[in-house]
Amino acid sequence: RAAGVVRQPSWNQSFHTCISTIKMAAFFGPRNINRMRMITDHAIPRGILPKNMSISEIEFSNKVTGEWYSPLAGGPRPMQRVVLFLHGGAFVLCNPGTHRYLLMTLATLCEARILSVDYRRPPENPFPAALEDAVAAYDWLTKPHGPNISPSKIVLAGDSAGGGLVVSLLCFLRDRAIAAGEPPRLPSAGIMMSPWVDLSDTTSETWTMNAPIDFLPVDLAKICAGAYVGEGDARDPRISPLYADLSGLPPLMIEFGEAEVLASQILSFADAACRAGVDVTCTGVPEMVHVFQIFEVLASKSNRGPRASLARIGAFVKAMTPPSW
């Protein structure tokens, strides 16, 4: 298994070292999911994070938990703009704590509170557990017994597997309302960072073309996809939203790296969403790998890819929702 990384011109040494280290771990690390979690599931300690944000744990439904991120500077009442975030990690890895720096950055740029869902993970809890927990989080946010946030003030966001889960949640909410004979009360928009939208795909062009640069190995993708799919079908539209009916969804923003192995399926999804009549803003960032935004802290000033992407996301959230106060 080749695990070298072809350094890109915009990468500084710290960025390159980080990507190379992750790729070495991904290619030569364990293939047992519990052992992988021993490497990936460490929360970023709160003590080293910026002090301009409060982080609190919350249990909102049927023992489903999450973390609230609330900017401390603001008005006399809690911000009403909320980003419901679904973390990545190929469904089986990571948690809200592993994404704390990214989420704090997004909360500041979006001028919003963020609820990051600690959804149940496979193989202990295969599909549809993660989707059920995402639904529970959204229902809690919007119901009177919860924060009672208007859907117009909510944006869904996620990275990698969480990015695909954003679309699965939107489709579920739309279909549930239609089945009940009600008008859909969907979030104002969805944001997808390097979304994993086709769990059946390990052969599209960029899996080969970008393998020398990106850090995701094919065999690991197959293991994680199999754990999530369980006894189902990887092309089930509820699992792989590339195959879903995307009509009637709110505006979607897609940010991905042109050098990532998922680029082909991401572009196919963007095209399918456009053909379904969805307002899609899709930006491929040159020389960037999978979920490159999470490495923003390591990027030099000359590597504007991560910071520019996060800034676009912040502007999009503010454009799609009313003022937070």
Side-chain angles (χ1 to χ4, degrees), residues 146-160:
N148 200 24
I149 304 294
S150 167
S152 66
K153 296 181 179 180
I154 298 174
V155 174
L156 305 185
D159 68 292
S160 191

Side-chain angles (χ1 to χ4, degrees), residues 138-154:
Y138 182 77
D139 286 346
W140 177 79
L141 274 178
T142 56
K143 295 297 172 61
H145 64 265
N148 200 24
I149 304 294
S150 167
S152 66
K153 296 181 179 180
I154 298 174

